[in-house]
Amino acid sequence: MKFKIINEIFIEAINNVNRALSNKTPMPILKSVKIDLTNEGINLTASDSNITIKQFIPTFINDKQIIFVEEEGSSAIPGKLLQEVLRKANDEFVELTMIEDKLVHINFKNAVFTLNCLDVKEYPNINLISSNQPIIVDSKKLSEIIRQTVISIATSESRPILTGINFKVQDNILYCIATDSYRLSEKIFKFDNEITDINIVVPGKSLLELEKLIQSKPGEIKIHLSNNIISFEMDNLIFQSRLLDGTYPETSRLIPKEFGLTLGFNRHELIDIVDRVSLLSKEGATNIIKFDVYEDKTIISLESTEIGKVVEEVHPLSQEGSLLRIGFNAKYLLDALRILDDNIVKIMFTGEVRPFIVKTKDESITQLILPVRIE
Amino acid sequence: MSIKEYLNIQPKVVKMLLNSYNKQRLAHAYLFEGAKGTKKKALAIELAKLLYCEKQGEVCNECINCIRIEHQNHPNVLVVEADNNTIKKEQVLYLQQEYHKTTLEPGPKVYIIDKIEKMSINAANSILKFIEEPVADTYTILTTDNLHQILPTIISRCQVINFQPIPKASIVNYLIENGVDTYIAGICSHLTNDFDKALEIANNDKIINIIDLVIMISQAILNKQEDIIVLLENSNVDLTKDKKVSEYFLDVLLIYLRDIQNAKNNNFEIVFVNDLNFIQQYVVNISKEKLIYNINEVLKAKINLEYNANLVLLIDHLLLNLM
């Protein structure tokens, strides 16, 4: 393998794939970035076995030659080190040459780095799927899907399946569901093309990493779903994640359809109130906030035997249905309110010990919270 | 070494594993149990290779899968080992997370946990959870030096496979092949059960001096000489500097004392063959009770050595008591 490349472009690509590298991997080979060079361009692959990022750099971009290929080939170069070397390079071009199986030269200006590498043949054979029926979604939309659901994933490992987001395709609708069994977020995305029904669970951590990656990349993303891998394809970039093994709990019947009471609030105002009331909450403990709904006002209160008590009166923008008194974890409501976008939110209750939902006029997103018994 | 080369070391185990593999009846969880150096971990890795080798039903050690498993670079084969004598919580957590994910490459998942007794009870209990509910195409292999330290709940969920101690003769042969003197090879084979460890001891430049010293001291005990401590001072080995040297010294001394005891019981198959005549001649000088007392003293010294006792005091104390 031997090639010369414009450093600026190479660094950017390496920075992209290096997001997948991890220091903690038990497999030594995964500390490396795999470089596959052909006359068409370079494929860079990095992985921590959970997520894999692959980037393609074409030889020509807009008729400008980026890569000067001398000899095709592959090698695995320590990723973090390569990144550091390129960052410090003081030349427009860098040249990489594989001397023998486990030795690579990096040349620029007057400097030569000789790096010890691992045998590229030992690199995992990562199958990047590209099905012919991808779901096509705008990168902003995908980012929104992840942000609005990921708040509800479980953080404890006691039920590993709940640390992921359920991706369920049914009748041309993608349902993304996350729950930690105390609250649930469901986002619905409708698409046009025909796709076979599938039901998989994607690790929440992988999706958070994806969200960071796509923030700065507007455009179209193709989602390929399969039974053991999910991959997201962008311009010259593929992000892939392993899945969680197991069956996700059936959640479709959990969301109530009829409601006894609906309250409308200004979202920002309600965030302020709940935030203020939570001041008296104890660090680390679950803090139960109470809503007492009267004809003309709603009283929001929080009482902690050790710290004290706070009561705040609020007048909902709209109110419909029977009166009620309910208590629940303040953090759950706050999380749900913060990731919604609209100015007006509706909180819809069915009963004192029944789950309630938080919605905006955006019908695609539902946040469900389970109350606790009070008194 | 290929799996078949383990046939002369662990014939029963290898045959059993090969048979189960060929009949596709491998258990989802194995517990390899046996003394140190009986090649438990090596065979666990061989089993993983057997599942993945490109030549079906063999271990070629040449194909990319075999090489990757050997270098711990195979994405579906995870080996967890004790780090600093304990298996850490993070390692168990990582294992658990891995267990619940789909595989990166197609194929079965293999988890090898070496020396599971090094795990805390909490960690072992969380392992239990996934051995209990086996997922299809997943193999877990646990190894242990000491079956009695393992939670009974774990044992009951695994197929326990017994590893026989390695025959002394094969260790002796291995040492002789590697250029060790027959006499020394015989002694070293009694110090450990592990081929490489035995070779390491035999190649230690102090071991000959240690053996000489043991012989002198033991002969002095049998002769009823009074100047054992002087012997120690005239010797080329300093027992009070290196803990390892003291450890070997105690182990070799123990073998010699056992030889005397065997001779006392008219069993003349002894390790120190060169001293056979001497032992036969003087064995009457020492009573059975004194011999047992001496053996106990050496064992006590070994325990104190583990606890980092002062080496000078430890050795002096021992020798005075042996007289």
Side-chain angles (χ1 to χ4, degrees):
Chain A
M1 183 192 81
K2 188 170 184 181
F3 67 95
K4 205 157 114 182
I5 185 169
I6 296 179
N7 192 20
E8 202 185 324
I9 290 171
F10 197 35
I11 288 184
E12 201 198 314
I14 291 281
N15 286 348
N16 274 343
V17 296
N18 267 11
R19 288 165 182 271
L21 291 183
S22 147
N23 286 330
K24 278 193 273 177
T25 167
M27 289 163 64
I29 188 84
L30 289 186
K31 294 207 167 86
S32 305
V33 171
K34 187 182 176 209
I35 301 180
D36 292 302
L37 176 71
T38 62
N39 281 324
E40 282 82 58
I42 298 176
N43 262 314
L44 295 171
T45 315
S47 172
D48 70 351
S49 88
N50 291 326
I51 59 168
T52 304
I53 303 178
K54 189 171 185 175
Q55 167 125 38
F56 179 71
I57 314 173
T59 312
F60 290 92
I61 297 177
N62 302 331
D63 288 334
K64 190 183 174 207
Q65 187 160 11
I66 307 293
I67 308 167
F68 300 85
V69 182
E70 277 192 44
E71 197 192 334
E72 298 186 329
S74 301
S75 63
I77 304 178
K80 288 266 152 68
L81 206 55
L82 179 64
Q83 192 177 17
E84 289 300 313
V85 171
L86 295 180
R87 206 178 276 162
K88 299 251 153 80
N90 53 351
D91 198 359
E92 195 195 344
F93 287 94
V94 288
E95 190 180 61
L96 269 79
T97 321
M98 190 160 78
I99 309 296
E100 36 186 286
D101 269 0
K102 296 178 181 175
L103 221 52
V104 167
H105 271 325
I106 306 174
N107 299 43
F108 50 87
K109 228 173 194 175
N110 302 324
V112 184
F113 281 80
T114 309
L115 297 186
N116 297 327
C117 303
L118 290 169
D119 192 346
V120 69
K121 288 198 225 70
E122 295 196 20
Y123 204 85
N125 183 10
I126 302 170
N127 247 336
L128 292 159
I129 55 146
S130 52
S131 56
N132 18 1
Q133 347 166 274
I135 299 174
I136 296 168
V137 54
D138 183 71
S139 101
K140 272 216 181 96
K141 192 77 194 169
L142 181 60
S143 175
E144 181 189 301
I145 293 175
I146 297 171
R147 269 190 307 109
Q148 294 188 333
T149 49
V150 83
I151 53 157
S152 295
I153 59 167
T155 44
S156 103
E157 292 286 336
S158 57
R159 288 183 70 188
I161 194 86
L162 296 186
T163 60
I165 297 181
N166 185 205
F167 277 58
K168 190 164 77 178
V169 174
Q170 212 167 28
D171 307 324
N172 284 11
I173 300 174
L174 172 69
Y175 297 87
C176 294
I177 301 153
T179 178
D180 59 5
S181 76
Y182 304 109
R183 57 174 156 172
L184 179 143
S185 305
E186 185 189 69
K187 178 88 179 170
I188 294 168
F189 178 71
K190 290 185 181 142
F191 51 89
D192 308 322
N193 49 336
E194 272 301 306
I195 287 172
T196 333
D197 291 358
I198 194 165
N199 189 346
I200 58 174
V201 188
V202 189
K205 266 189 206 154
S206 305
L207 290 170
L208 280 171
E209 200 54 52
L210 172 71
E211 210 261 329
K212 273 188 232 159
L213 185 73
I214 60 176
Q215 262 172 8
S216 55
K217 289 187 174 48
E220 206 172 66
I221 294 175
K222 289 181 190 157
I223 309 176
H224 304 276
L225 303 159
S226 85
N227 279 324
N228 50 4
I229 270 162
I230 185 167
S231 61
F232 301 87
E233 193 182 343
M234 296 151 249
D235 273 352
N236 290 334
L237 189 79
I238 300 176
F239 179 98
Q240 183 192 271
S241 169
R242 287 158 78 191
L243 305 178
L244 291 170
D245 223 353
T247 347
Y248 204 78
E250 178 57 47
T251 55
S252 55
R253 272 165 300 156
L254 294 179
I255 300 174
K257 300 276 183 310
E258 286 163 10
F259 305 95
L261 171 70
T262 304
L263 298 177
F265 291 98
N266 178 304
R267 188 172 67 95
H268 298 289
E269 263 174 37
L270 190 58
I271 289 177
D272 285 348
I273 294 170
V274 177
D275 199 25
R276 199 156 41 225
V277 171
S278 307
L279 267 181
L280 288 198
S281 53
K282 237 173 68 187
E283 198 77 28
T286 42
N287 300 293
I288 306 305
I289 188 173
K290 278 180 219 155
F291 272 47
D292 286 292
V293 184
Y294 297 100
E295 292 287 356
D296 53 341
K297 64 186 176 193
T298 294
I299 296 191
I300 300 176
S301 64
L302 190 145
E303 193 175 343
S304 157
T305 39
E306 281 173 44
I307 305 171
K309 186 178 172 182
V310 52
V311 178
E312 181 156 349
E313 202 178 290
V314 57
H315 300 278
L317 300 177
S318 63
Q319 179 168 343
E320 214 178 285
S322 52
L323 306 181
L324 155 136
R325 186 173 147 80
I326 195 166
F328 50 88
N329 189 338
K331 183 181 175 293
Y332 294 164
L333 180 63
L334 216 46
D335 282 348
L337 290 173
R338 278 185 176 141
I339 51 93
L340 293 170
D341 286 323
D342 207 37
N343 274 333
I344 308 242
V345 288
K346 279 187 176 155
I347 305 185
M348 300 146 97
F349 301 94
T350 42
E352 289 179 1
V353 287
R354 309 275 304 147
F356 63 93
I357 64 172
V358 183
K359 270 191 107 69
T360 61
K361 68 171 188 279
D362 177 6
E363 277 297 317
S364 70
I365 173 79
T366 308
Q367 304 284 351
L368 175 133
I369 298 170
L370 254 69
V372 291
R373 262 175 228 279
I374 43 173
E375 276 111 65
Chain B
M1 258 204 294
S2 147
I3 190 160
K4 293 209 167 118
E5 286 168 51
Y6 285 97
L7 262 175
N8 29 17
I9 305 171
Q10 292 296 348
K12 274 191 194 158
V13 177
V14 174
K15 271 184 205 153
M16 206 218 74
L17 290 178
L18 283 174
N19 278 340
S20 322
Y21 173 80
N22 289 332
K23 290 182 182 156
Q24 304 190 333
R25 301 278 295 264
L26 280 175
H28 75 279
Y30 284 108
L31 178 58
F32 286 3
E33 177 265 330
K36 237 184 205 162
T38 43
K39 302 286 169 199
K40 298 179 296 289
K41 186 182 156 203
L43 266 169
I45 289 173
E46 290 304 307
L47 181 60
K49 289 186 195 163
L50 184 67
L51 288 164
Y52 268 104
C53 184
E54 286 169 8
K55 283 186 189 166
Q56 289 233 319
E58 269 183 66
V59 172
C60 68
N61 272 329
E62 278 161 10
C63 71
I64 192 66
N65 283 338
C66 286
I67 292 173
R68 284 195 298 175
I69 292 170
E70 184 72 42
H71 293 173
Q72 301 199 4
N73 267 337
H74 199 290
N76 298 350
V77 179
L78 183 65
V79 183
V80 176
E81 287 169 280
D83 171 20
N84 261 340
N85 235 350
T86 47
I87 295 179
K88 302 231 153 60
K89 207 179 155 199
E90 300 94 76
Q91 288 173 293
V92 177
L93 208 64
Y94 184 81
L95 190 76
Q96 257 179 309
Q97 287 170 0
E98 280 296 303
Y99 196 85
H100 288 101
K101 279 180 187 147
T102 51
T103 52
L104 192 61
E105 286 184 22
K109 293 191 256 187
V110 183
Y111 301 99
I112 298 170
I113 310 174
D114 193 33
K115 301 209 169 61
I116 182 146
E117 73 271 14
K118 306 280 187 205
M119 214 177 247
S120 72
I121 292 185
N122 273 339
N125 271 325
S126 52
I127 296 282
L128 192 65
K129 212 176 159 193
F130 66 69
I131 306 177
E132 215 164 38
E133 302 157 8
V135 184
D137 233 9
T138 301
Y139 302 95
T140 313
I141 306 163
L142 314 172
T143 80
T144 179
D145 293 344
N146 192 347
L147 191 63
H148 305 292
Q149 279 180 24
I150 310 289
L151 289 179
T153 38
I154 288 197
I155 299 175
S156 71
R157 280 156 183 83
C158 300
Q159 189 168 337
V160 180
I161 295 190
N162 224 303
F163 278 57
Q164 299 299 319
I166 292 176
K168 297 285 173 229
S170 38
I171 296 183
V172 174
N173 285 341
Y174 175 79
L175 290 178
I176 293 172
E177 272 168 36
N178 279 288
V180 178
D181 178 69
T182 321
Y183 179 61
I184 297 194
I187 295 168
C188 289
S189 72
H190 282 265
L191 293 175
T192 169
N193 235 328
D194 189 322
F195 287 89
D196 299 319
K197 190 90 190 292
L199 190 61
E200 188 195 310
I201 297 173
N203 285 336
N204 189 318
D205 46 6
K206 296 218 174 82
I207 193 75
I208 297 176
N209 292 336
I210 293 174
I211 291 172
D212 284 345
L213 180 66
V214 167
I215 292 174
M216 279 197 291
I217 289 176
S218 312
Q219 290 184 347
I221 296 172
L222 285 178
N223 268 341
K224 299 273 178 198
Q225 286 175 24
E226 299 283 318
D227 46 1
I228 301 186
I229 302 276
V230 182
L231 284 177
L232 192 64
E233 261 152 35
N234 294 338
S235 157
N236 313 337
V237 255
D238 191 351
L239 293 179
T240 58
K241 281 248 169 67
D242 187 351
K243 199 174 153 188
K244 200 126 219 166
V245 173
S246 318
E247 203 181 307
Y248 293 157
F249 169 76
L250 293 179
D251 284 338
V252 178
L253 185 60
L254 211 53
I255 298 173
Y256 203 105
L257 291 175
R258 202 179 53 197
D259 277 358
I260 302 176
Q261 197 179 26
N262 280 344
K264 196 101 188 151
N265 296 330
N266 290 326
N267 173 2
F268 293 105
E269 277 178 29
I270 62 175
V271 181
F272 285 85
V273 279
N274 293 0
D275 279 29
L276 185 59
N277 287 334
F278 186 88
I279 294 176
Q280 272 177 316
Q281 191 182 340
Y282 286 97
V283 73
V284 285
N285 275 355
I286 191 162
S287 70
K288 259 188 191 166
E289 290 73 29
K290 172 67 178 159
L291 199 54
I292 290 169
Y293 172 79
N294 278 359
I295 291 176
N296 271 331
E297 280 303 309
V298 179
L299 289 175
K300 252 191 246 167
K302 272 187 74 164
I303 292 170
N304 286 334
L305 191 68
E306 286 279 305
Y307 290 138
N308 288 324
N310 182 317
L311 289 180
V312 181
L313 295 178
L314 181 108
I315 298 286
D316 284 353
H317 177 78
L318 173 70
L319 292 183
L320 288 172
N321 278 332
L322 288 184
M323 280 193 296

